[in-house]
Amino acid sequence: MRFPQAITAVAALASLLIPALASAQASRPPIEVSATYGSMWGGNIETYQGKLRTGTGGALGIAVDVPIRPGMWVEAGYTRQDGSLDWDPRIGSKFTLSNMSVNFWHIGTVRALGRPGSPVMPFVTGSLGATYFSPSEATAVIDGDTYDLEGLTKFSVAFGAGFKAYFGEAKKVGLRGQFKVYSTIFDAGGGVWFGPGGVDIGVSGSGIWQFEAAGGLTVKFGG
């Protein structure tokens, strides 16, 4: 699914959600629905022969924020980056193995900075969920050897900061801008040690880091 299909899917989801959200929240604090578009970059995995990289690409996102108390929301969101899977060998030039989408399904919190209800609301956010890597090709050739390319799902976390700036007297519609950092965990391990000083717990892991800068619209329903 490329961006036109993704936009169609988001629009269809919004057409189903918006009437239900509006009626359910008529007398409660408003739910906010945001749609953003921007750029995502970064992300590489080290190997003995070189690096696998996720190429820079556009990122389309949709988020639903449900208030849990003044100045704090639970946020469920989906972000999709359409880019590429690149091979960067230690000797030689980088080249593309396949087009690839990177899909983040996350749930977390958004916390306002400053006075709730202000026309401009800075915020910080943190979330966790799953990342799904979906290459378009079934195989790739590296140094004459053929490798299978399959979809891959991994645990991920994200954190970031941004703002919402609302229009008009009702402040039902506004702009949303944000910068987010995503970390997808590929290998993780841990252990527990017992000794004279007590119990010690250690956790280690490796993953890839990706960065998103995006902006768009946010709309309040209910309230």
Side-chain angles (χ1 to χ4, degrees), residues 30-208:
I31 285 176
E32 298 189 29
V33 178
S34 301
T36 58
Y37 182 79
S39 180
M40 186 175 290
W41 66 94
N44 66 79
I45 302 173
E46 293 274 1
T47 72
Y48 290 113
Q49 295 82 19
K51 295 180 180 179
L52 283 170
R53 297 184 180 273
T54 57
T56 299
L60 175 68
I62 184 168
V64 178
D65 294 359
V66 179
I68 54 176
R69 67 174 191 238
M72 182 170 284
W73 296 259
V74 170
E75 179 172 273
Y78 168 72
T79 301
R80 174 190 172 97
Q81 179 209 18
D82 274 320
S84 60
L85 176 64
D86 301 327
W87 174 244
D88 189 0
R90 297 189 182 278
I91 300 176
S93 301
K94 182 177 71 172
F95 61 93
T96 297
L97 299 175
S98 172
N99 292 328
M100 184 174 70
S101 68
V102 185
N103 305 267
F104 299 91
W105 300 90
H106 271 222
I107 187 166
T109 59
V110 174
R111 184 180 181 88
L113 300 177
R115 182 172 60 86
S118 299
V120 179
M121 186 194 78
F123 65 83
V124 292
T125 180
S127 62
L128 53 84
T131 305
Y132 176 60
F133 298 89
S134 179
S136 62
E137 303 295 329
T139 60
V141 178
I142 300 176
D143 295 333
D145 296 322
T146 300
Y147 297 87
D148 292 332
L149 296 179
E150 298 179 350
L152 183 67
T153 302
K154 291 292 184 178
F155 173 78
S156 58
V157 298
F159 55 90
F163 71 91
K164 295 179 182 180
Y166 302 99
F167 305 140
E169 184 177 350
K171 298 181 177 60
K172 292 288 188 179
V173 179
L175 297 175
R176 175 170 175 156
Q178 63 187 28
F179 177 81
K180 296 183 76 173
V181 179
Y182 294 87
S183 178
T184 302
I185 310 302
F186 274 80
D187 297 299
V192 180
W193 295 269
F194 298 89
V199 179
D200 191 17
I201 299 175
V203 178
S204 63
S206 63
I208 66 171

